[in-house]
Amino acid sequence: MTKISKKTWKERWFQIIFEADTSKGRTFDIVLMILILISVTALILSTVESFKPYANVFEIIEWCVTILFSVEYILRLIVLKRPSTYIFSFWGIIDFLSTIPKYLSYFLGFESYLTILRTFRLIRIFRILDLGPYIGESHNLSKALKASKEKIFVFLFFVLAISVILGTIMYWVEGAEHGFTNIPKSIYWTIVTLTTVGYGDIAPQTGLGQFIASIVMIMGFGIIAVPTGIVTAEYTKTMSNRTNTKMCRSCGEDDHQDGAKYCHKCGGGMS
Amino acid sequence: MTKISKKTWKERWFQIIFEADTSKGRTFDIVLMILILISVTALILSTVESFKPYANVFEIIEWCVTILFSVEYILRLIVLKRPSTYIFSFWGIIDFLSTIPKYLSYFLGFESYLTILRTFRLIRIFRILDLGPYIGESHNLSKALKASKEKIFVFLFFVLAISVILGTIMYWVEGAEHGFTNIPKSIYWTIVTLTTVGYGDIAPQTGLGQFIASIVMIMGFGIIAVPTGIVTAEYTKTMSNRTNTKMCRSCGEDDHQDGAKYCHKCGGGMS
Amino acid sequence: MTKISKKTWKERWFQIIFEADTSKGRTFDIVLMILILISVTALILSTVESFKPYANVFEIIEWCVTILFSVEYILRLIVLKRPSTYIFSFWGIIDFLSTIPKYLSYFLGFESYLTILRTFRLIRIFRILDLGPYIGESHNLSKALKASKEKIFVFLFFVLAISVILGTIMYWVEGAEHGFTNIPKSIYWTIVTLTTVGYGDIAPQTGLGQFIASIVMIMGFGIIAVPTGIVTAEYTKTMSNRTNTKMCRSCGEDDHQDGAKYCHKCGGGMS
Amino acid sequence: MTKISKKTWKERWFQIIFEADTSKGRTFDIVLMILILISVTALILSTVESFKPYANVFEIIEWCVTILFSVEYILRLIVLKRPSTYIFSFWGIIDFLSTIPKYLSYFLGFESYLTILRTFRLIRIFRILDLGPYIGESHNLSKALKASKEKIFVFLFFVLAISVILGTIMYWVEGAEHGFTNIPKSIYWTIVTLTTVGYGDIAPQTGLGQFIASIVMIMGFGIIAVPTGIVTAEYTKTMSNRTNTKMCRSCGEDDHQDGAKYCHKCGGGMS
């Protein structure tokens, strides 16, 4: 008897935590989101000078959120049949990392770098929102990214290689006295210029340096066009495929070409 | 008798104020546009040092425009059958807000922040121009924006989440001595960098900080491609849909070239 | 006899000056381009400190080029049947303006601003290059620009209106002590930020100012996507139309839809 | 006998060096890539202050890599039947230039500018990676670039001409006292602004200068859209052409979805 009631208790909590189509599940998600936003806001404000007097308020908030997150994490482990799969999944690791920083900083005695882990809580919001109608969008996005994976890799390597070559050239042309103190710094300058960010903390001052910089900038013009071109083309493609909402009666395939009369998967006729 | 003449008086003014297809209506719109441009130019120039001696000229201009706008606003209320619908509509609120700032500053005794309301007059120009052939364009634009509403929301949240995470990392890497005095300022720096604006008022100075900044910039490269891709794809779609307006009488084909006189499929004449 | 020989002399020069398909015409164009490049290079170098000793060399070059251009301009007038049409055409005005600056500075006694006219010679190169295979490209470009003329106007007005509103807001938020000395300067800052240029000569320093700036930057993200979207969409359209190289046998129309069986202009069958 | 064994020895090394489909060939490529990455990393780090004590370690690494590259270069020459074709090919020149810098600096007695040649080794990685599945991508890219070669040339000339004209205008408007010391520097500023890099090392300070700068920035907005539009349009075109690879045996339709097993037009099976 006790065993059965325990099982239903687990099942009820599984629905609340992992599913969003019940009113309790939705409430759980909203509470989780509010907790995440409160804890991240507290973290951000705690570093501002004028909020320093309220340091212990932020401390209490962080402890409350940490404890609630811990309870939630343990509940997830209890409720699941195979907790190990969850623990080592992407979301399991994110959940764990966004729970522990306060404990770690308590036991280790220092805080600083560990607070970065607290911002990982924001990533959890993606999962909560993903449960809604946004899934389709992110699915499309990840499909477009996967389709152009090789192109992106080649492009990134090209940008890096060109940054190293141009950075080395600028290091010899401008030299340490104009801010190009070493090659890594010159490469940093090249990336700042190619991406059209242009801080101006390091800027060429010799005529030749400014001439080379002009070429780099016009190249950056062309280079910035490449990822935009890739994303637009892939996006247009996935978008145009999505509009073919007709479903095949025989095999259920719902991804058909415009004006298709026969299913491309099973060959069955389509209405 | 008097009632009828009053009614026609109202109707005549309704045509002048709300319609643009009569010569008087057009004149009214042009006068309104000139008034708006004069008042906004006066506002802008009044803050420039070399125009300070003419402060009372700008004061008189502002009072004249305010009184004319007040008369126009009251006319709109009198002329309409249901003034309340207009008052709480988007354009009604804009009309009200762009009329009152001078009165408010007169009664409240201070001006400063209220002048921002005076620039809202520029928004009124959109309505006036919308009456022309531009309606189609803005209709297309708003359609494209509505169609990609969810994508834009997901994208904005993604940018914000990444800015918070990267801002926190940079706060710990660079620290207050290099300008990253608190997390909000670090987040501000991340947005300045991701959008490729790059003021340079805050810039990383440690090697690790510059390395992370380089990654942020190359990410910004890809991120800037996303809204461009979305707008281009949606825009291309609405544009291609718009051309499908004529249908062939003989064969029913509705995908014709601009300015086609004969159907490209059956050769039949088109009206 | 003399009259006829004079006529043929005119005709020969007409071919050399206005046509590029004879070897003499091509030589004329190349000589003209070299003269333009020499004179513009001389102008640019004459302002550099280390080239100041050669000032009279640049002076002589400029006089030579001016005299040669004058001869060419007079030849154009003599050779043409209706010189007045040429004089008041776009290219006629450019030719005139790029010839006179040296004379004007000689008679008026000052130079400075007139040197700007000398750079207009570069525009002449466009005409020379236009005679080659590039005509098609520029034709496409100008078609795309004309097609999106209204959209560009609405977009530019939108950017300006938003710059005025945001500039006014930033003027009150940041104030003169942080570099936002007047509204025109604030508008300048907004344009610098919206276009993602970001000089950093003026940058927000208050928390609220940096928050508003962040919103402006993310808006600039979206705004930069609009012209790219318009150009890409129009360009793709004109490009896809251009690939339909089939020509109608009946009326000669060569701009047909893909897979068209009948001419959209005359209704005649196509092979 | 000796001749034959020598031939097979050559053939074996030809496979290892020039082909990547044997395990030895792959190992050779990976070793080459690691050597390139080590030598470039050593070059970059040798300029950093904190790595200066290890200067002789970097010296030894460079000598080792140079000797290994020399051996590889000589092997390539021995193994090939027509070494002269290789020597004067693009890759032959890159291989030669990336091998000699250390020898040159040893014999000439100075190093500085020659180190730029050492970064050319990174270009070799492109060849090694090109042997993989990336060939298709780069092939597409180079096709798209070739197709829009004329457009890119016209565009670059347009950007340069506009930079010269605007640079000259700004030189007269702002003058030497605001950083626009000569026309080349003004042209540099115009390119920095048009490409939206915006260092801020030179920035307009007069009202008129800031007004012209605003126009330049909004123009840059439109200009940045052109290469993006060209690349996207050409890329979409080559991408859509690439998918039309399978043809239906029954009806001849050659426009099929990716992974289609049955023809969408006639329902016939596809190989």
Side-chain angles (χ1 to χ4, degrees):
Chain A
M1 262 292 280
T2 330
K3 208 180 166 187
I4 291 159
S5 82
K6 203 183 168 188
K7 205 180 172 184
T8 42
W9 170 85
K10 267 195 189 181
E11 276 178 356
R12 248 187 299 135
W13 275 99
F14 180 86
Q15 272 197 324
I16 292 168
I17 298 174
F18 285 93
E19 282 164 35
D21 42 9
T22 63
S23 74
K24 275 184 186 169
R26 264 194 296 276
T27 313
F28 180 83
D29 282 349
I30 290 161
V31 169
L32 207 63
M33 261 183 74
I34 290 166
L35 278 178
I36 291 167
L37 293 176
I38 285 171
S39 76
V40 172
T41 309
L43 166 64
I44 291 171
L45 293 180
S46 68
T47 64
V48 179
E49 195 58 44
S50 52
F51 285 94
K52 284 276 156 75
Y54 310 104
N56 43 356
V57 177
F58 296 129
E59 187 80 6
I60 292 161
I61 290 172
E62 182 55 23
W63 272 117
C64 292
V65 171
T66 300
I67 288 160
L68 285 166
F69 275 23
S70 311
V71 170
E72 186 232 351
Y73 187 74
I74 292 159
L75 264 175
R76 277 178 194 266
L77 294 187
I78 293 168
V79 150
L80 282 164
K81 276 165 197 161
R82 285 186 174 185
S84 61
T85 326
Y86 164 72
I87 290 170
F88 299 106
S89 71
F90 174 74
W91 290 117
I93 292 161
I94 291 291
D95 287 354
F96 183 72
L97 286 178
S98 57
T99 307
I100 53 156
K102 199 66 198 165
Y103 297 118
L104 268 179
S105 65
Y106 183 78
F107 290 116
L108 294 173
F110 67 93
E111 192 153 352
S112 62
Y113 285 92
L114 293 165
T115 51
I116 295 166
L117 289 174
R118 283 161 66 181
T119 58
F120 281 27
R121 288 169 188 166
L122 283 171
I123 305 170
R124 301 186 71 183
I125 292 181
F126 281 97
R127 182 177 44 187
I128 300 170
L129 292 176
D130 260 342
L131 297 168
Y134 306 101
I135 270 179
E137 303 309 330
S138 19
H139 190 62
N140 261 351
L141 195 78
S142 65
K143 250 178 89 177
L145 282 176
K146 260 179 204 161
S148 48
K149 204 174 59 184
E150 291 177 4
K151 278 163 222 145
I152 289 167
F153 177 83
V154 171
F155 174 72
L156 281 182
F157 180 73
F158 177 73
V159 169
L160 273 179
I162 238 162
S163 299
V164 170
I165 294 170
L166 288 168
T168 309
I169 293 172
M170 287 303 279
Y171 171 68
W172 287 112
V173 169
E174 288 286 326
E177 66 268 35
H178 295 144
F180 296 77
T181 41
N182 49 51
I183 294 181
K185 209 158 204 168
S186 287
I187 294 170
Y188 164 70
W189 171 86
T190 314
I191 293 173
V192 166
T193 304
L194 269 181
T195 55
T196 78
V197 170
Y199 286 129
D201 52 346
I202 313 165
Q205 271 150 59
T206 64
L208 183 60
Q210 292 180 340
F211 178 74
I212 296 169
S214 301
I215 295 170
V216 174
M217 284 174 236
I218 291 170
M219 277 177 65
F221 236 39
I223 286 173
I224 219 166
V226 173
T228 310
I230 292 173
V231 170
T232 308
E234 297 288 349
Y235 190 85
T236 314
K237 207 181 145 193
T238 55
M239 204 174 75
S240 67
N241 284 348
R242 200 182 36 168
T243 55
N244 314 321
T245 45
K246 270 199 269 185
M247 198 198 272
C248 174
R249 285 177 184 175
S250 315
C251 71
E253 171 72 10
D254 61 351
D255 185 16
H256 293 103
Q257 232 165 321
D258 284 326
K261 284 174 187 161
Y262 295 91
C263 177
H264 72 100
K265 214 174 161 189
C266 70
M270 279 165 67
S271 55
Chain B
M1 265 292 278
T2 330
K3 209 182 166 188
I4 292 160
S5 82
K6 202 183 167 189
K7 206 181 172 183
T8 43
W9 170 87
K10 267 194 186 180
E11 278 177 357
R12 248 185 299 135
W13 275 100
F14 181 86
Q15 273 197 324
I16 293 167
I17 297 174
F18 285 94
E19 283 164 33
D21 42 10
T22 62
S23 74
K24 276 184 185 168
R26 264 191 298 275
T27 313
F28 180 83
D29 281 350
I30 290 162
V31 168
L32 207 65
M33 261 182 74
I34 292 166
L35 278 177
I36 291 167
L37 293 177
I38 285 171
S39 76
V40 172
T41 310
L43 166 65
I44 290 170
L45 292 181
S46 68
T47 63
V48 180
E49 195 59 45
S50 53
F51 286 94
K52 285 273 154 77
Y54 310 103
N56 42 356
V57 177
F58 295 129
E59 187 78 7
I60 293 161
I61 289 172
E62 182 54 23
W63 271 117
C64 292
V65 171
T66 300
I67 288 160
L68 286 167
F69 274 24
S70 310
V71 171
E72 187 233 350
Y73 186 74
I74 291 159
L75 263 176
R76 277 177 194 265
L77 295 186
I78 294 169
V79 149
L80 283 164
K81 275 166 196 161
R82 284 186 175 184
S84 62
T85 325
Y86 164 72
I87 290 170
F88 300 107
S89 72
F90 175 73
W91 290 116
I93 292 160
I94 291 292
D95 288 353
F96 183 74
L97 287 178
S98 57
T99 307
I100 53 154
K102 198 66 199 167
Y103 297 118
L104 268 179
S105 64
Y106 183 78
F107 289 116
L108 295 173
F110 67 92
E111 195 153 350
S112 62
Y113 285 94
L114 292 165
T115 51
I116 295 165
L117 289 174
R118 283 160 68 180
T119 58
F120 280 26
R121 288 169 189 168
L122 283 170
I123 305 168
R124 300 186 70 184
I125 292 181
F126 280 98
R127 182 178 43 186
I128 300 170
L129 292 176
D130 260 342
L131 298 167
Y134 307 100
I135 271 179
E137 304 310 331
S138 19
H139 190 62
N140 260 350
L141 195 78
S142 65
K143 253 176 87 177
L145 282 176
K146 260 177 204 160
S148 49
K149 205 176 57 185
E150 291 176 5
K151 277 164 223 143
I152 289 166
F153 177 83
V154 171
F155 174 71
L156 281 181
F157 180 73
F158 177 74
V159 169
L160 274 178
I162 237 163
S163 299
V164 171
I165 294 170
L166 288 168
T168 309
I169 292 171
M170 286 304 278
Y171 171 69
W172 287 112
V173 169
E174 288 286 327
E177 67 268 33
H178 295 143
F180 296 77
T181 41
N182 50 51
I183 293 181
K185 209 158 204 166
S186 287
I187 293 171
Y188 163 72
W189 172 85
T190 315
I191 293 173
V192 167
T193 303
L194 267 182
T195 55
T196 77
V197 170
Y199 287 130
D201 53 345
I202 313 164
Q205 271 150 60
T206 64
L208 182 60
Q210 293 180 339
F211 178 73
I212 296 170
S214 301
I215 294 169
V216 174
M217 285 175 236
I218 290 170
M219 277 178 65
F221 236 39
I223 286 172
I224 219 165
V226 173
T228 310
I230 291 173
V231 170
T232 307
E234 297 287 348
Y235 190 85
T236 314
K237 208 180 144 195
T238 56
M239 202 174 76
S240 67
N241 284 347
R242 198 182 36 167
T243 55
N244 308 341
T245 43
K246 270 194 212 169
M247 197 198 273
C248 175
R249 286 176 184 176
S250 314
C251 72
E253 171 74 9
D254 61 351
D255 185 17
H256 293 103
Q257 233 164 320
D258 286 326
K261 283 175 188 161
Y262 294 90
C263 177
H264 72 99
K265 214 173 159 188
C266 70
M270 279 165 66
S271 54
Chain C
M1 265 293 277
T2 331
K3 210 182 164 187
I4 293 160
S5 81
K6 203 184 165 187
K7 207 182 171 183
T8 43
W9 171 85
K10 268 195 187 179
E11 280 177 355
R12 247 186 299 138
W13 275 101
F14 180 86
Q15 273 197 323
I16 293 168
I17 297 174
F18 283 94
E19 283 164 34
D21 43 11
T22 62
S23 73
K24 276 184 185 167
R26 262 194 297 275
T27 312
F28 180 84
D29 281 351
I30 290 162
V31 168
L32 207 64
M33 262 183 73
I34 291 165
L35 278 178
I36 291 167
L37 293 177
I38 285 170
S39 76
V40 171
T41 310
L43 167 64
I44 290 170
L45 293 181
S46 69
T47 63
V48 180
E49 195 57 47
S50 52
F51 285 95
K52 284 275 155 75
Y54 311 103
N56 42 355
V57 177
F58 295 130
E59 187 79 5
I60 293 161
I61 289 172
E62 182 54 21
W63 271 117
C64 292
V65 171
T66 300
I67 288 160
L68 286 166
F69 274 24
S70 310
V71 171
E72 187 233 351
Y73 187 74
I74 291 159
L75 263 176
R76 278 179 194 265
L77 295 186
I78 294 169
V79 150
L80 281 165
K81 277 166 196 159
R82 284 188 175 181
S84 62
T85 326
Y86 165 70
I87 289 169
F88 299 107
S89 70
F90 176 73
W91 291 116
I93 291 161
I94 291 292
D95 287 355
F96 183 73
L97 287 177
S98 56
T99 308
I100 53 155
K102 198 67 197 167
Y103 296 118
L104 268 178
S105 65
Y106 183 78
F107 290 117
L108 295 173
F110 68 92
E111 195 154 349
S112 61
Y113 284 95
L114 293 165
T115 50
I116 294 165
L117 289 175
R118 283 160 67 181
T119 58
F120 280 28
R121 288 168 189 167
L122 283 171
I123 305 168
R124 300 186 71 184
I125 292 181
F126 280 98
R127 183 179 40 186
I128 300 169
L129 292 176
D130 260 341
L131 297 168
Y134 307 100
I135 270 179
E137 304 310 331
S138 17
H139 189 64
N140 260 351
L141 195 77
S142 65
K143 253 176 86 177
L145 281 176
K146 260 178 204 159
S148 49
K149 205 176 58 183
E150 292 176 4
K151 276 163 225 143
I152 289 166
F153 176 83
V154 171
F155 174 71
L156 281 182
F157 180 74
F158 177 75
V159 168
L160 274 178
I162 238 163
S163 299
V164 170
I165 294 170
L166 288 168
T168 310
I169 292 171
M170 286 304 277
Y171 171 68
W172 286 113
V173 169
E174 288 285 327
E177 65 269 33
H178 295 142
F180 297 76
T181 42
N182 50 50
I183 294 181
K185 210 158 204 167
S186 288
I187 294 170
Y188 163 73
W189 172 84
T190 315
I191 294 174
V192 166
T193 304
L194 268 181
T195 55
T196 76
V197 171
Y199 286 130
D201 53 346
I202 313 164
Q205 271 149 57
T206 64
L208 183 59
Q210 292 180 340
F211 178 73
I212 296 169
S214 301
I215 294 169
V216 174
M217 284 174 237
I218 289 169
M219 277 178 65
F221 236 40
I223 286 173
I224 219 166
V226 173
T228 310
I230 292 173
V231 170
T232 308
E234 296 288 347
Y235 190 85
T236 315
K237 206 183 148 196
T238 55
M239 203 174 76
S240 68
N241 283 348
R242 201 183 34 166
T243 55
N244 314 321
T245 45
K246 270 199 267 183
M247 197 198 273
C248 174
R249 286 177 184 176
S250 316
C251 72
E253 170 73 10
D254 62 350
D255 185 18
H256 292 104
Q257 232 165 320
D258 285 327
K261 283 175 188 162
Y262 294 91
C263 176
H264 73 99
K265 213 177 162 188
C266 71
M270 280 164 67
S271 53
Chain D
M1 264 294 277
T2 328
K3 211 181 163 188
I4 292 160
S5 82
K6 203 184 167 187
K7 207 180 170 184
T8 43
W9 171 85
K10 268 195 186 180
E11 279 178 354
R12 246 185 300 134
W13 276 100
F14 180 86
Q15 273 198 323
I16 293 168
I17 297 174
F18 285 93
E19 283 163 34
D21 43 9
T22 62
S23 73
K24 275 184 185 168
R26 264 193 297 274
T27 313
F28 181 82
D29 282 349
I30 290 162
V31 168
L32 207 63
M33 261 183 73
I34 290 166
L35 278 178
I36 291 167
L37 293 177
I38 285 171
S39 76
V40 172
T41 310
L43 167 65
I44 290 170
L45 292 181
S46 69
T47 64
V48 179
E49 195 58 45
S50 52
F51 285 95
K52 284 275 155 75
Y54 311 104
N56 42 355
V57 176
F58 295 129
E59 186 80 5
I60 293 161
I61 290 172
E62 182 55 22
W63 271 116
C64 292
V65 171
T66 300
I67 288 159
L68 285 166
F69 274 24
S70 310
V71 171
E72 187 232 352
Y73 187 74
I74 291 159
L75 263 177
R76 275 177 195 266
L77 294 186
I78 293 167
V79 149
L80 282 165
K81 276 165 196 163
R82 285 188 174 182
S84 62
T85 326
Y86 164 70
I87 290 170
F88 300 106
S89 72
F90 175 73
W91 290 116
I93 292 162
I94 291 292
D95 287 355
F96 183 73
L97 287 178
S98 56
T99 307
I100 53 156
K102 199 66 199 166
Y103 296 118
L104 268 177
S105 65
Y106 183 78
F107 290 116
L108 294 172
F110 68 91
E111 193 154 352
S112 62
Y113 285 94
L114 292 165
T115 50
I116 295 165
L117 289 174
R118 284 160 66 181
T119 59
F120 281 28
R121 288 168 188 168
L122 282 170
I123 305 169
R124 300 186 72 183
I125 292 181
F126 280 97
R127 182 178 41 187
I128 300 169
L129 292 176
D130 260 342
L131 297 167
Y134 306 101
I135 270 179
E137 302 311 329
S138 17
H139 190 61
N140 260 351
L141 194 78
S142 65
K143 253 177 87 177
L145 281 176
K146 260 179 204 161
S148 49
K149 204 175 58 183
E150 292 176 3
K151 277 163 224 146
I152 289 167
F153 177 82
V154 171
F155 174 72
L156 280 182
F157 180 73
F158 177 74
V159 168
L160 274 178
I162 238 163
S163 298
V164 170
I165 294 170
L166 288 168
T168 310
I169 292 171
M170 286 303 277
Y171 171 68
W172 286 113
V173 168
E174 288 284 328
E177 65 268 33
H178 295 142
F180 297 78
T181 41
N182 49 50
I183 294 182
K185 209 158 204 168
S186 287
I187 294 170
Y188 164 72
W189 172 86
T190 315
I191 293 173
V192 166
T193 304
L194 268 181
T195 54
T196 76
V197 171
Y199 287 129
D201 52 346
I202 312 165
Q205 270 149 58
T206 66
L208 183 60
Q210 292 180 339
F211 179 73
I212 296 169
S214 301
I215 295 169
V216 174
M217 284 174 237
I218 289 169
M219 277 178 64
F221 236 40
I223 286 173
I224 220 167
V226 173
T228 310
I230 292 174
V231 170
T232 307
E234 297 287 348
Y235 190 85
T236 315
K237 207 180 144 194
T238 55
M239 204 173 76
S240 68
N241 284 348
R242 199 181 37 168
T243 55
N244 307 341
T245 42
K246 270 193 213 169
M247 197 198 274
C248 175
R249 286 177 184 176
S250 315
C251 71
E253 170 74 9
D254 61 351
D255 185 18
H256 293 103
Q257 232 165 320
D258 287 325
K261 282 175 188 162
Y262 294 91
C263 177
H264 72 99
K265 214 175 160 189
C266 71
M270 279 164 66
S271 55

